[in-house]
């Protein structure tokens, strides 16, 4: 191992350590005191409920662990968006579980809570996955009601999705394990089956105080909407559980009886571990996002037996395309090559070189054709992003880079096989789009701690913004010294770098999470397994292309 490898390894392992610390913090939800108070009521926390529900020692992945991270500071934050979402196995069946975290503002819905719940439902709909709701929520967070209540992608969309999923035959099971009030009361009752925990669960459109204020009736919450009321009088719920574990055991028994699903038929054989050591990734991936490396070295540590069948290896070399297997699943990989490559017949002239991480005309053309091939063969696509954007300048423009880029974006947009995106390094500008960013419906999209998402790098953006800022100050008659210019640059870059962070993106659900690179195979494998629940319903059609 050389010195550069060791320095890279140290840097990336520090990033991994930071990731683990951040995860440990968000997993505390509202904090240890609120967890203790929750336990004193005889209730399990949201994470404890999910852990008990999922099969022991089985794999699971958490969606949106960093949702809400460093947001809503005026309201003491909203760790994990106040709701925990995991894809895992119940009685051997893959399901998605959504659990309100009542240690965070009594499980109230912030804007990001609604967005995260909708993301969970989107995953269930796309993959025809059974979805389990563990309800314990005080309803909409009233100080921010204008950002969660009335719009198309707000709170009401949840119930619309309940109805849509019901019509699609997607199993929905709800357990009311705490408060379930106002509009939120519709969620469990629009599910296929609803459970309620005795004494701690309650469902009503308006609580006792509001009932007294509205119609003058005096009544306690338990009589108004407790387990006995809804299981024996109203018939709103189907099962009464004595405690949290009893409710979760009932869900396990229900899921155990669900019949098999129609499969999409993606190809899978026995899984093999990579021959090359996956831990080498920490030393291969450069500490600086500007440095070069060979993406093939990363691919060989992600795919089964380190076997990769490259497609058009000598053409369009700034994008790597080819076939492989991940945990036994056949995949088509589209990856950005990050070292400078020579064009055909080139010697050393800069004009005859192609820069790593940049999408050129030929690489866009190659990627388009490969994506079409994968759709033809029904092979899921995996995008490995480390992209600075499309090539600019007269040579590219005259060669039709916009046309070739549009073809690639068209292929990604119209792809009918499931897509999975891993942001390894840079994810800048239109490169994010062409390499299947969030706007292009990847089934799952995650970032490594080394990732950066933005229109351009912090340094480039700061230079542009500095020019605008200094021009404005000069117009006002201010003198800009070298020191003042440097201070402005550092201030702008610092602000922009914060927005480039993978945690900034994860907080806003632009990605489904920030993960250890060694967990990448699990995310892709579980993602394809989920996608296999949903047969392809339409043919691949690129539409109109300027060829």
């Amino acid at each position: 191992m050389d010195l550069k490898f060791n320095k890279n390894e140290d840097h990336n392992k520090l990033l991994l350590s930071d990731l683990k610390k951040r995860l440990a913090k968000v997993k505390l939800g509202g904090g240890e005191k609120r967890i203790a108070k929750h336990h004193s009521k005889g209730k399990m926390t949201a994470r404890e409920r999910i852990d008990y529900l999922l099969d022991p020692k089985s794999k699971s992945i958490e969606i949106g662990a960093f949702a809400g991270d460093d947001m809503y500071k005026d309201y003491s934050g909203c760790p994990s968006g106040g709701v925990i979402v995991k894809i895992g196995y119940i009685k051997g069946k893959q399901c998605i579980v959504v659990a309100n975290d009542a240690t965070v503002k009594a499980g109230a819905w912030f804007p990001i809570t609604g967005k995260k719940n909708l993301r969970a439902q989107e995953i269930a709909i796309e993959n025809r996955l059974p979805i389990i709701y563990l309800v314990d929520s005080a309803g909409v967070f009233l100080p921010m009601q204008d950002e969660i209540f009335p719009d198309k992608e707000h709170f009401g969309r949840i119930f619309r999705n309940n109805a849509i999923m019901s019509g699609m035959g997607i199993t929905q099971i709800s357990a009311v394990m705490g408060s379930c009030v106002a509009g939120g009361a519709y969620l469990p009752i629009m599910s296929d089956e609803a459970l309620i925990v005795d004494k701690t669960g309650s469902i009503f459109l308006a609580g006792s105080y509001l009932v007294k204020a509205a119609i003058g009736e005096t009544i306690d919450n338990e009589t108004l909407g407790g387990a006995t009321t809804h299981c024996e009088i109203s018939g709103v719920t189907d099962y009464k559980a004595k405690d949290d574990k009893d409710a979760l055991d009932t869900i396990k028994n229900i899921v155990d009886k669900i019949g098999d699903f129609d499969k999409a038929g993606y190809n899978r054989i026995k899984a093999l571990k990579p021959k090359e050591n996956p831990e080498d990734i920490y030393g291969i991936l450069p500490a600086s996002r500007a440095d070069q490396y060979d993406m093939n070295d990363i691919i060989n540590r992600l795919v089964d037996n380190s076997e990769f069948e490259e497609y058009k290896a000598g053409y369009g070399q700034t994008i790597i395309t080819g076939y492989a297997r991940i945990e036994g699943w056949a995949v088509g990989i589209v990856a950005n090559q990050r070292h400078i490559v020579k064009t055909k017949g080139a010697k050393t002239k800069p004009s005859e070189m192609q820069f790593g991480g940049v999408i050129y005309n030929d690489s866009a053309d190659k990627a388009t054709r490969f994506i079409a091939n994968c759709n033809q063969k029904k092979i899921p696509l995996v995008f490995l992003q480390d992209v600075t954007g499309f090539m600019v300048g007269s040579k590219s423009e005259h060669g039709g880079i916009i046309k070739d880029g549009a073809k690639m974006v068209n292929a990604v947009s119209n792809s009918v096989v499931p897509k999975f995106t891993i942001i390894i390094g840079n994810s800048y500008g239109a490169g994010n789009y062409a390499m299947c960013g969030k706007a292009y419906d990847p089934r799952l999209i995650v970032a490594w701690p080394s990732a950066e998402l933005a229109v351009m790098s912090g340094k480039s953006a700061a230079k542009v913004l500095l020019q605008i800022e200094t021009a404005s100050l000069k117009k006002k008659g201010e003198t800009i010294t070298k020191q003042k210019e440097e201070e402005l640059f550092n201030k702008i870059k610092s602000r922009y770098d914060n927005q480039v962070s993978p945690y900034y993106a994860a907080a806003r659900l632009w990605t489904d999470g920030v993960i250890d690179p060694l967990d990448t195979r699990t995310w892709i494998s579980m993602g394809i397994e989920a996608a296999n629940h949903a047969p392809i319903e339409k043919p691949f059609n690129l539409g109109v292309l300027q060829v």
Side-chain angles (χ1 to χ4, degrees):
M1 298 297 176
D2 60 21
L3 182 61
K4 186 176 181 181
F5 183 98
N6 292 334
K7 285 183 176 179
N8 289 340
E9 187 176 43
D10 289 345
H11 174 81
N12 286 308
K13 286 192 172 180
L14 281 173
L15 291 181
L16 182 60
S17 176
D18 180 51
L19 167 63
K20 290 177 177 177
K21 287 176 184 176
R22 288 170 180 262
L23 279 171
K25 184 179 178 181
V26 299
K27 284 180 179 179
L28 287 174
E32 292 177 351
K33 287 184 179 178
R34 288 181 183 170
I35 290 172
K37 187 177 180 181
H38 197 75
H39 285 160
S40 71
K41 298 174 183 177
K43 297 164 70 174
M44 302 164 75
T45 66
R47 291 186 179 277
E48 289 167 346
R49 288 166 176 167
I50 293 178
D51 288 344
Y52 183 83
L53 185 59
L54 297 181
D55 295 344
K57 297 181 181 178
S58 63
K59 289 183 178 180
S60 65
I61 54 178
E62 182 172 351
I63 306 297
F66 291 110
D69 185 50
D70 209 29
M71 295 168 66
Y72 312 119
K73 293 178 183 178
D74 291 345
Y75 302 106
S76 304
C78 186
S80 288
V83 62
I84 314 304
V85 177
K86 283 192 178 183
I87 300 174
Y89 302 89
I90 302 172
K91 295 291 184 177
K93 290 184 174 64
Q94 197 177 44
C95 302
I96 185 163
V97 185
V98 181
N100 299 115
D101 186 351
T103 70
V104 179
K105 292 289 189 295
W109 287 55
F110 282 70
I112 198 67
T113 316
K115 188 172 183 179
K116 186 170 174 179
N117 273 269
L118 288 169
R119 175 63 179 141
Q121 289 186 322
E122 179 183 43
I123 291 170
I125 290 169
E126 283 183 330
N127 300 291
R128 309 293 196 272
L129 278 185
I131 184 167
I132 317 297
Y133 305 100
L134 307 180
V135 184
D136 194 346
S137 171
V140 167
F141 185 61
L142 291 177
M144 302 190 76
Q145 65 84 29
D146 61 324
E147 296 182 46
I148 183 63
F149 168 63
D151 209 346
K152 181 178 177 180
E153 300 302 328
H154 284 177
F155 193 70
R157 189 77 171 182
I158 303 290
F159 317 129
R160 175 263 187 194
N161 286 350
N162 289 141
I164 294 296
M165 283 189 280
S166 183
M168 294 173 68
I170 297 171
T171 298
Q172 300 176 83
I173 301 168
S174 291
V176 178
M177 311 180 84
S179 297
C180 182
V181 301
Y186 289 105
L187 185 147
I189 313 312
M190 293 187 75
S191 299
D192 301 339
E193 297 182 83
L195 304 82
I196 186 168
V197 178
D198 196 23
K199 300 297 185 284
T200 56
S202 58
I203 310 172
F204 34 68
L205 295 181
S208 56
Y209 291 123
L210 186 54
V211 167
K212 177 69 173 177
I215 62 173
E217 180 184 1
T218 301
I219 189 170
D220 64 273
N221 282 338
E222 183 64 26
T223 305
L224 180 66
T228 300
T229 295
H230 286 310
C231 286
E232 300 178 18
I233 301 173
S234 72
V236 164
T237 49
D238 306 308
Y239 307 89
K240 181 163 73 171
K242 62 182 180 182
D243 56 26
D244 280 9
K245 286 188 177 181
D246 186 34
L248 298 170
D249 284 335
T250 302
I251 293 172
K252 291 180 185 182
N253 291 333
I254 295 169
V255 172
D256 191 39
K257 311 301 187 296
I258 297 173
D260 203 0
F261 54 90
D262 295 331
K263 296 176 177 63
Y266 302 120
N267 185 296
R268 191 181 199 185
I269 61 173
K270 184 181 177 181
L272 295 171
K273 292 181 179 179
K275 273 187 179 178
E276 301 290 343
N277 185 2
E279 292 197 6
D280 288 347
I281 288 171
Y282 302 127
I284 294 166
L285 195 64
S288 169
R289 293 277 49 81
D291 286 355
Q292 300 172 45
Y293 64 97
D294 189 344
M295 182 63 82
N296 284 294
D297 293 335
I298 300 291
I299 293 171
N300 288 335
R301 286 156 179 82
L302 292 178
V303 302
D304 289 14
N305 211 35
S306 300
E307 292 178 349
F308 181 60
E309 188 70 32
E310 191 167 358
Y311 171 83
K312 285 185 175 292
Y315 177 71
Q317 294 179 58
T318 62
I319 286 184
I320 299 169
T321 53
Y323 304 104
R325 291 189 181 273
I326 292 177
E327 294 288 345
W329 294 103
V331 296
I333 293 175
V334 181
N336 302 112
Q337 177 57 286
R338 276 309 313 269
H339 68 66
I340 294 174
V341 297
K342 293 180 181 180
T343 57
K344 187 177 180 181
K347 294 180 181 179
T348 55
K349 293 181 181 178
S351 61
E352 296 174 329
M353 309 298 281
Q354 290 190 339
F355 296 97
V358 179
I359 302 175
Y360 288 78
N361 302 68
D362 52 0
S363 47
D365 174 65
K366 177 172 82 170
T368 301
R369 294 179 66 176
F370 180 73
I371 290 166
N373 278 339
C374 287
N375 276 271
Q376 184 87 347
K377 297 179 179 70
K378 204 158 71 171
I379 300 173
L381 285 158
V382 174
F383 292 84
L384 303 179
Q385 281 197 14
D386 195 344
V387 58
T388 52
F390 284 89
M391 190 58 188
V392 296
S394 61
K395 185 177 179 181
S396 289
E397 295 293 359
H398 295 171
I401 186 65
I402 296 173
K403 180 179 65 178
D404 290 323
K407 287 193 292 185
M408 184 175 174
V409 169
N410 195 322
V412 172
S413 303
N414 283 300
S415 186
V416 295
V417 295
K419 299 166 291 192
F420 302 90
T421 302
I422 315 297
I423 305 174
I424 290 175
N426 302 326
S427 182
Y428 296 154
N432 169 280
Y433 303 157
M435 291 294 294
C436 198
K438 183 66 182 289
Y440 292 81
D441 297 322
R443 296 294 177 98
L444 294 171
I445 176 171
V446 291
W448 289 0
S450 48
E452 293 187 357
L453 289 80
V455 172
M456 61 183 76
S457 71
K459 188 174 181 179
S460 297
K463 285 180 179 179
V464 174
L465 293 170
L466 178 65
Q467 290 176 39
I468 296 169
E469 184 80 13
T470 53
S472 175
L473 291 171
K474 285 176 181 176
K475 279 185 179 180
K476 294 175 183 176
E478 295 188 31
T479 303
I480 308 298
T481 63
K482 189 72 176 175
Q483 183 181 351
K484 176 70 173 175
E485 190 174 283
E486 191 174 322
E487 286 173 3
L488 274 172
F489 176 82
N490 290 332
K491 183 180 177 182
I492 294 167
K493 186 176 182 298
S494 176
R495 184 175 68 241
Y496 196 88
D497 282 347
N498 178 56
Q499 295 177 3
V500 166
S501 161
Y503 298 101
Y504 189 92
R508 288 150 183 82
L509 289 173
W510 300 344
T511 66
D512 292 316
V514 183
I515 68 166
D516 182 343
L518 300 189
D519 291 332
T520 303
R521 283 169 54 84
T522 297
W523 274 79
I524 294 170
S525 174
M526 287 188 67
I528 299 174
E529 184 181 348
N532 206 33
H533 287 74
I536 295 170
E537 295 177 346
K538 65 177 183 177
F540 176 63
N541 188 341
L542 277 177
V544 177
L545 283 179
Q546 291 190 45
V547 295

